[in-house]
Amino acid sequence: MWKDLLLEHRSKETLNALFFFALLLLFVFQFTLGPDRERLAGALPGLLWLGFILSGLLGLGRAFVVERENDCWEALLLAPGDKSAIYVGKLAGNLLLMFIVEAMLLVLFGVFFNLDLVPALPALVVVIGLGTVGFAAIGTLFAAMTTQVRARELLFPVLLLPVQVPVLLATVKATEAVLLGEPLGAVAHWLKLLAAADVVYVAVGVLTFDFVLEG
Amino acid sequence: MRVLGAVTVVALAAGLVAGLGLAPREVTQGNVQRIMYLHVPSVWVAYLAFAVVFVASIAYLAKRADAADRLAHASAEVGVVFTGVTIATGSIWGKPTWGTWWTWDARLTSVSILFVMYLGYLLLRGMIDDRERGARYAAVLGIVAAFNIPLVHFSVIWWRTLHQPPSLMTPGPAMPRVIITALLVNFVAFSLLYVYFVAKRVHLLRREAEAAA
């Protein structure tokens, strides 16, 4: 994991591109929805998560590209000890990357759409945190699987998106409530579902990653 | 295998007779309601098939038996087909009854998510040339998808039914015995059909593997 973070820190390759991508997304949202503020406010939770998901797909899809391009896949396979450590490391790296991108997106949304997100921020952080863990947990697992497959850029989102429906529904609903100024208690059932999904996804990821990295 | 096929045909015929002939015409919906005898057993088979995928996937990862992989593959294919049948028959029933082919009702949504999830599963299998790796990845996906089913179920129900209860599909308190019997006959027939399809498909996959080897 430290290697990935170090690499990312040195090159800033993915992060720069993702930042630019996030900016472009905002443009697209603005152009497709028009200047109507009411409509924008109504669609905001969905737009926010659309931004997270799209940039997450791009970011996570690249999670194992470094290994493939530099022929280090075999090294990963040969790595001594528990393979699930590699999974946890990759997951942590991906989480950090996604959190940074999400923070940037939040700021961009606030600035460009002239929104005051600050009062809802603590609750928003909880929702986004829970949702991102679930997304990244399965995303990391699938990224490892699709790295070695034909048409991987296509297959990765095609596999990941249907599986992420529960997380998506829960986060969008919870974000909507939070942005309307409701307390977290009002959406406790969604948060519980997210927490359950996180636990299940991470557990399945840790348990099955061994099999993905076999050959 | 041939006996199983014959028994299945007989059971399906019995199911047709029971559903179209013996069962009474439903008062409010008319003959349209008879599609239930196809629709409900199809859902049952779909869920059964995906449960088998789950068990076979675990078995494959634990034992590395190719038979388990073939079972998972065959079962997923049949499951996707029956999920498709479920959605199609549901649509045909929904048009005259609800006045629309499709609505984002909780059950419709969760079944359609199952459909795309396992379609992705089959897609993944098709994309991997190396058979052993394909089997392993598919098994991992089969396990993830199975764990996801309850999550999808609850999230979709909450998403929808906080606003509108899905009372449309729940059967009334008193279903006449004839209807229940007809439904049961079709349940048995469809289960047999499932076993037959899977057996055929496993057989075919084994032959393919032998031919390739």
Side-chain angles (χ1 to χ4, degrees):
Chain A
M1 175 200 171
W2 292 120
K3 175 212 64 179
D4 276 348
L5 288 184
L6 188 70
L7 214 61
E8 187 53 46
H9 180 70
R10 293 256 171 82
S11 67
K12 300 217 175 53
E13 189 181 48
T14 311
L15 209 52
N16 280 341
L18 277 182
F19 177 74
F20 190 53
F21 178 74
L23 193 65
L24 289 176
L25 270 183
L26 285 187
F27 278 54
V28 172
F29 290 158
Q30 179 66 32
F31 295 150
T32 47
L33 288 178
D36 187 351
R37 296 246 333 152
E38 290 288 308
R39 187 155 50 162
L40 199 73
L44 185 64
L47 289 183
L48 207 53
W49 277 96
L50 210 56
F52 293 167
I53 296 282
L54 288 177
S55 40
L57 278 178
L58 288 186
L60 293 188
R62 293 189 51 80
F64 290 88
V65 166
V66 182
E67 274 79 9
R68 202 189 67 241
E69 281 177 354
N70 298 334
D71 292 327
C72 292
W73 190 255
E74 277 75 21
L76 271 190
L77 303 185
L78 293 172
D82 208 351
K83 296 282 196 311
S84 45
I86 298 178
Y87 172 75
V88 175
K90 281 283 183 191
L91 174 58
N94 284 337
L95 271 178
L96 196 65
L97 185 70
M98 278 195 73
F99 282 143
I100 295 174
V101 174
E102 285 168 353
M104 294 190 307
L105 259 170
L106 274 180
V107 173
L108 288 175
F109 263 94
V111 171
F112 280 97
F113 296 143
N114 195 18
L115 300 163
D116 188 13
L117 296 171
V118 177
L121 204 55
L124 208 53
V125 166
V126 174
V127 174
I128 293 177
L130 283 172
T132 308
V133 170
F135 186 78
I138 291 294
T140 306
L141 181 68
F142 283 7
M145 278 164 54
T146 46
T147 302
Q148 300 287 63
V149 173
R150 267 185 291 140
R152 74 189 76 82
E153 307 83 359
L154 196 60
L155 200 58
F156 178 61
V158 164
L159 292 184
L160 185 56
L161 287 181
V163 175
Q164 288 299 321
V165 169
V167 169
L168 206 55
L169 286 180
T171 47
V172 171
K173 280 288 170 191
T175 307
E176 191 182 329
V178 165
L179 286 181
L180 287 174
E182 289 176 33
L184 276 179
V187 288
H189 59 296
W190 284 121
L191 296 182
K192 280 182 202 149
L193 183 99
L194 276 177
D198 289 354
V199 171
V200 170
Y201 290 163
V202 173
V204 171
V206 167
L207 290 177
T208 56
F209 197 69
D210 258 4
F211 300 110
V212 173
L213 269 198
E214 242 168 48
Chain B
M1 185 82 98
R2 194 158 288 167
V3 179
L4 179 64
V7 173
T8 306
V9 169
V10 172
L12 280 175
L16 272 182
V17 171
L20 297 183
L22 298 182
R25 213 166 144 266
E26 216 263 348
V27 186
T28 43
Q29 294 177 15
N31 278 327
V32 175
Q33 181 269 341
R34 291 184 194 278
I35 206 165
M36 175 187 83
Y37 300 114
L38 274 178
H39 182 69
V40 180
S42 301
V43 192
W44 148 248
V45 168
Y47 276 100
L48 175 72
F50 296 145
V52 170
V53 173
F54 178 55
V55 176
S57 297
I58 293 179
Y60 177 76
L61 289 184
K63 295 237 174 75
R64 297 307 162 98
D66 285 342
D69 173 50
R70 284 194 287 263
L71 177 61
H73 191 174
S75 193
E77 282 181 352
V78 178
V80 166
V81 169
F82 274 94
T83 314
V85 171
T86 304
I87 294 173
T89 51
S91 264
I92 296 169
W93 177 84
K95 183 64 186 167
T97 316
W98 294 341
T100 169
W101 294 110
W102 185 260
T103 152
W104 291 100
D105 165 75
R107 285 175 199 225
L108 273 70
T109 312
S110 61
V111 168
S112 58
I113 293 167
L114 276 196
F115 187 63
V116 287
M117 212 156 64
Y118 283 92
L119 219 54
Y121 173 92
L122 293 181
L123 211 61
L124 175 72
R125 275 188 175 276
M127 291 281 190
I128 305 178
D129 300 317
D130 182 55
R131 212 186 47 75
E132 192 270 339
R133 177 189 288 155
R136 249 185 310 119
Y137 286 7
V140 170
L141 184 54
I143 292 170
V144 171
F147 275 112
N148 215 31
I149 289 178
L151 290 171
V152 169
H153 184 79
F154 283 116
S155 65
V156 169
I157 283 188
W158 286 341
W159 175 57
R160 249 10 222 168
T161 45
L162 284 181
H163 310 284
Q164 50 172 71
S167 55
L168 294 155
M169 300 276 285
T170 42
M175 271 212 291
R177 183 154 300 163
V178 196
I179 292 189
I180 295 177
T181 317
L183 199 55
L184 279 179
V185 172
N186 276 296
F187 263 90
V188 173
F190 271 65
S191 305
L192 284 171
L193 187 64
Y194 164 75
V195 176
Y196 180 69
F197 276 165
V198 169
K200 266 280 185 216
R201 204 56 195 103
V202 166
H203 183 68
L204 211 64
L205 287 170
R206 193 170 55 230
R207 282 292 164 82
E208 275 173 17
E210 281 167 10

